[in-house]
Amino acid sequence: MFPRTAVVLLGVTSLAVVAALGALWLAGGLDRLRDPSIGRDLLAADPVSPLQRTNPDPLNNVYFGDLHIHTSYSSDAWLMGVRTLPADAYRYARGVPIPHAAGYRIQISRPLDFAAVTDHAEYLAMARAVAPDVPLKTQTLPAILQGKNRLAITLDWLRTTLRIARHGFDPFVIDDQASSSAWQSIIEVAERYNQPDVFTTFIAYEWSSQPAGANLHRNVIFRGGPGQVPDRPFSALDSENPEDLLRQLALWNAAGLRGLAIPHNANLSTGRMYGRLDFAGQPMSAEYKRLRSEFEPVHEILQVKGASETHPVLSNLDEFADFEIFESNMAASGASGTPAGSYARDALRTGLEMAHDEGFNPYKFGVIGASDGHNSSSPIEESRYHGKLPIMDGTASLRLNTALLLPDSQARPLRWGSGGLAGIWARQNTRGALFAAMQRRETYATSGTRIKLRFFASWDFDLGPAARPDLSAPDVTAAAYARGVAMGGELVAPAAAAPQFLVWAYKDPDGANLDRIQIVKLWLDESGGSQEKIFDVAYGADRKRRPDGRLIPVGNTVDLDKPGYTNAIGEPYLQAVWRDPEFDATAWAAYYARAIEIPTPRWSTYDAAVLGTEPIAPAVIQERAISSSIWYQP
């Protein structure tokens, strides 16, 4: 009674999926799909204002952007229905509507300051050239969703997703001419849309090594324009070993082709991104440690495929550690990942231990957020979330698994987040200034919100006689730079007193109030093992603490039916000057700041409202901004 073709297609999936499809077939799985989100335009409520020129500032401005965007030049995007091009990605980032493969228009509510198209270098644009046999080769996604029943939609979904799981990016036919032409197009389009001090583009690509499902991807970002980038990308087809990519980057930089690599969100790396061993399973060589430190100055920690700041298993005393956890690895099995070695806080701790034990810290990196959007877009806004890959999650019914006859355990988009953004403090909005800021790690990650976050450390800021100065004032910022270091820096010249930290955060002008600012401390104990502790350093004056010393939760104003929230709780601005009360001048340490918003509706809650269904858990989230660390070495 179960179609033979379905069994063949499901050969690499679990028996649970086969059983579930069979049961749903018997239960009437031939129902037509009813999804009011198909064709519903996701446009900004108000017209986007023209892009504004920003003036250079010696104390640095903050700029928000996305350095991880895919177009139809990426084989996985094309196979799953994307047909838009790099020019569309830059138009979208600048606030212009573009078409989505599901038949509606998408538009970001506020333009970004910078962006990079990072299409997969492996088989670049070859899927477009050789057109593999997949359902979306001959049909549009709206035609599939509106013209078929749920079983047929599920089979088309499986034909596409299982092809990716079994064959990766390989479209079977190598077309070097298509790849070369696409790379030149990426270069030319980035140059065309680059507008110094208004909107910055970077020539870039993604190196996509994935041994046994371990996501070791890096985005390679170049500083210069045409003539200052290589003739072709170095891809995982050249080598799956990250050390080889970094050696190639060293060669390019020596030749004047300046670039850096940004490790992909590491939560799906099965512990291989941040271990003590190299690709071959041997202890890291001194050269590899140096290459990682020099050419990987910032790492991506927030994006569509979840967060990789930390994990509840690794940070069981962190009440905010369970934010957008996604653990299924990239193999066809979708097995759970390995927390140790897959999260940034764990890497920072490991780096301290390696510095102590081996004399060098390869994990002294800054952080950014990104989207990893594959629709030539950055789907970072919860209320306008439009998914990552169209046939997997291009509509509300696909995202919430009401269009498919699959167990929720097989529907990965249910657990995907809405992506993130990079915040960069730079003198001006140009390639050179933004690239230099990444190299010095004066960056932070957000979950898509545009919280403005600043973090400095000093032995003594000497802020003067004012009882409570405005820490965001230019004179305070100038003093902070003169007497201390910004996020991403290192404290030197140790003093007898504990270090002083200056931190402040403004809410996103169009977003939610702030719950609190925290400082996360990592340090080495007497045995050389690493520890961590979180301090709430800034919050509303009326907040109370529990008996265990933790802040009582800020509250919740979310209306799940509407959906929506109000800013009746929380604070629009928070600041603190804080000294570590447990500082040990003999202990290696690192500190970073985390600003957290009040609860707001998650994308899945907005989708549930469109479909008229109950929200799935988690129905609300607390968006956040996470700074790069400041290190102390005795």
Side-chain angles (χ1 to χ4, degrees):
M1 297 183 65
F2 194 81
R4 181 174 181 272
T5 53
V7 176
V8 171
L9 285 168
L10 289 164
V12 299
T13 62
S14 67
L15 292 176
V17 177
V18 177
L21 277 173
L24 287 166
W25 170 274
L26 294 173
L30 290 176
D31 290 345
R32 292 282 178 177
L33 174 67
R34 296 177 177 85
D35 181 357
S37 76
I38 298 173
R40 181 177 65 99
D41 282 359
L42 298 180
L43 295 178
D46 300 308
V48 173
S49 59
L51 298 181
Q52 299 295 316
R53 178 176 296 275
T54 56
N55 296 319
D57 187 338
L59 299 178
N60 295 325
N61 298 307
V62 66
Y63 300 102
F64 294 103
D66 188 356
L67 297 175
H68 195 167
I69 305 170
H70 294 266
T71 77
S72 62
Y73 284 173
S74 290
S75 292
D76 54 347
W78 192 94
L79 292 171
M80 293 194 180
V82 177
R83 298 296 180 265
T84 45
L85 297 165
D88 296 298
Y90 292 127
R91 291 172 65 245
Y92 179 90
R94 292 173 64 102
V96 178
I98 65 170
H100 188 281
Y104 50 84
R105 291 186 299 166
I106 54 178
Q107 181 181 13
I108 198 167
S109 65
R110 289 170 286 171
L112 299 177
D113 297 310
F114 61 89
V117 167
T118 54
D119 280 314
H120 297 288
E122 297 71 28
Y123 306 102
L124 181 66
M126 291 184 198
R128 290 177 57 90
V130 300
D133 185 18
V134 291
L136 288 174
K137 174 183 176 181
T138 56
Q139 304 170 81
T140 66
L141 185 58
I144 289 175
L145 294 176
Q146 295 175 322
K148 298 185 177 183
N149 58 57
R150 292 173 69 207
L151 181 62
I153 294 169
T154 302
L155 295 181
D156 283 346
W157 186 93
L158 286 166
R159 283 181 61 197
T160 304
T161 57
L162 293 181
R163 189 199 178 286
I164 293 287
R166 297 178 70 179
H167 301 291
F169 302 106
D170 181 3
F172 302 118
V173 177
I174 292 179
D175 188 334
D176 289 333
Q177 183 176 355
S179 180
S180 177
S181 175
W183 178 237
Q184 290 306 310
S185 174
I186 287 169
I187 294 170
E188 292 166 6
V189 170
E191 189 67 12
R192 185 193 319 156
Y193 281 90
N194 188 54
Q195 191 175 356
D197 291 319
V198 176
F199 178 75
T200 296
T201 67
F202 288 97
I203 298 168
Y205 72 90
E206 182 169 338
W207 175 85
S208 312
S209 173
Q210 197 167 292
N215 191 317
L216 303 181
H217 300 194
R218 269 84 166 164
N219 291 326
V220 179
I221 312 293
F222 293 100
R223 182 187 185 278
Q228 298 173 301
V229 297
D231 293 335
R232 72 175 187 90
F234 181 91
S235 81
L237 300 179
D238 296 301
S239 173
E240 287 191 304
N241 187 342
E243 190 168 357
D244 291 335
L245 171 66
L246 297 178
R247 288 194 184 106
Q248 182 61 59
L249 266 168
L251 292 174
W252 282 335
N253 275 264
L257 311 180
R258 296 183 61 191
L260 55 80
I262 301 177
H264 199 294
N265 212 36
N267 56 328
L268 308 184
S269 67
T270 64
R272 297 187 63 176
M273 185 69 82
Y274 296 133
R276 291 175 177 259
L277 305 178
D278 64 14
F279 189 75
Q282 301 299 313
M284 281 191 194
S285 67
E287 179 196 19
Y288 187 29
K289 292 176 186 175
R290 180 187 61 78
L291 288 170
R292 293 204 68 168
S293 178
E294 182 174 356
F295 294 111
E296 295 180 346
V298 295
H299 292 211
E300 176 188 289
I301 66 167
L302 293 168
Q303 62 129 283
V304 166
K305 292 197 292 296
S308 62
E309 179 204 357
T310 193
H311 187 284
V313 169
L314 301 170
S315 302
N316 62 340
L317 297 180
D318 183 352
E319 59 190 306
F320 295 101
D322 62 349
F323 180 73
E324 297 292 3
I325 296 299
F326 177 72
E327 299 182 271
S328 302
N329 70 25
M330 303 299 287
S333 66
S336 293
T338 305
S342 298
Y343 289 83
R345 190 185 300 175
D346 183 60
L348 295 171
R349 290 177 57 167
T350 299
L352 291 175
E353 294 171 1
M354 293 177 73
H356 179 269
D357 298 340
E358 304 171 24
F360 193 88
N361 183 354
Y363 297 136
K364 193 175 285 187
F365 56 78
V367 296
I368 63 166
S371 73
D372 195 14
H374 278 58
N375 290 294
S376 303
S377 64
S378 306
I380 55 172
E381 298 172 293
E382 303 293 326
S383 62
R384 296 188 182 90
Y385 182 63
H386 49 267
K388 173 183 169 70
L389 290 158
I391 201 169
M392 291 189 75
D393 65 352
T395 69
S397 58
L398 287 169
R399 290 190 288 272
L400 297 189
N401 199 31
T402 61
L404 304 170
L405 304 182
L406 291 175
D408 285 351
S409 62
Q410 299 292 322
R412 296 182 184 186
L414 275 172
R415 304 187 300 282
W416 287 353
S418 63
L421 286 176
I424 299 181
W425 286 98
R427 177 182 172 87
Q428 61 187 122
N429 187 10
T430 62
R431 286 171 175 167
L434 294 171
F435 192 90
M438 287 189 280
Q439 288 185 308
R440 68 175 183 268
R441 305 179 295 239
E442 198 171 351
T443 64
Y444 63 98
T446 88
S447 54
T449 181
R450 302 195 196 187
I451 294 171
K452 194 173 181 180
L453 175 66
R454 208 140 204 194
F455 186 47
F456 292 94
S458 173
W459 298 110
D460 183 5
F461 283 116
D462 189 20
L463 297 178
R468 185 177 169 82
D470 177 4
L471 300 185
S472 65
D475 59 329
V476 176
T477 301
Y481 275 119
R483 300 183 66 87
V485 296
M487 62 177 78
E490 302 176 46
L491 274 175
V492 295
Q500 199 175 27
F501 294 90
L502 183 157
V503 61
W504 57 257
Y506 281 100
K507 69 178 284 293
D508 182 329
D510 294 346
N513 276 346
L514 302 175
D515 172 347
R516 68 189 75 188
I517 299 176
Q518 300 176 312
I519 290 181
V520 179
K521 177 188 178 182
L522 315 171
W523 78 97
L524 295 185
D525 59 26
E526 294 179 355
S527 69
S530 62
Q531 306 293 333
E532 66 179 65
K533 189 170 182 177
I534 299 169
F535 298 87
D536 294 312
V537 301
Y539 42 88
D542 59 344
R543 297 288 291 278
K544 301 290 191 287
R545 291 186 180 267
R546 300 167 176 159
D548 64 2
R550 294 186 179 187
L551 281 179
I552 291 175
V554 69
N556 189 343
T557 67
V558 172
D559 180 343
L560 294 178
D561 296 324
K562 192 177 179 179
Y565 69 95
T566 71
N567 276 326
I569 58 176
E571 305 293 331
Y573 173 73
L574 290 170
Q575 66 174 36
V577 177
W578 177 79
R579 285 193 188 271
D580 179 0
E582 302 171 5
F583 180 67
D584 178 354
T586 67
W588 305 55
Y591 302 81
Y592 67 85
R594 184 169 66 179
I596 297 177
E597 290 183 0
I598 64 172
T600 54
R602 189 172 183 265
W603 66 260
S604 49
T605 299
Y606 288 103
D607 276 356
V610 169
L611 297 178
T613 60
E614 290 296 315
I616 63 170
V620 301
I621 59 171
Q622 288 188 259
E623 306 260 24
R624 59 203 59 198
I626 302 164
S627 81
S628 294
S629 296
I630 294 173
W631 288 264
Y632 165 71
Q633 179 175 324

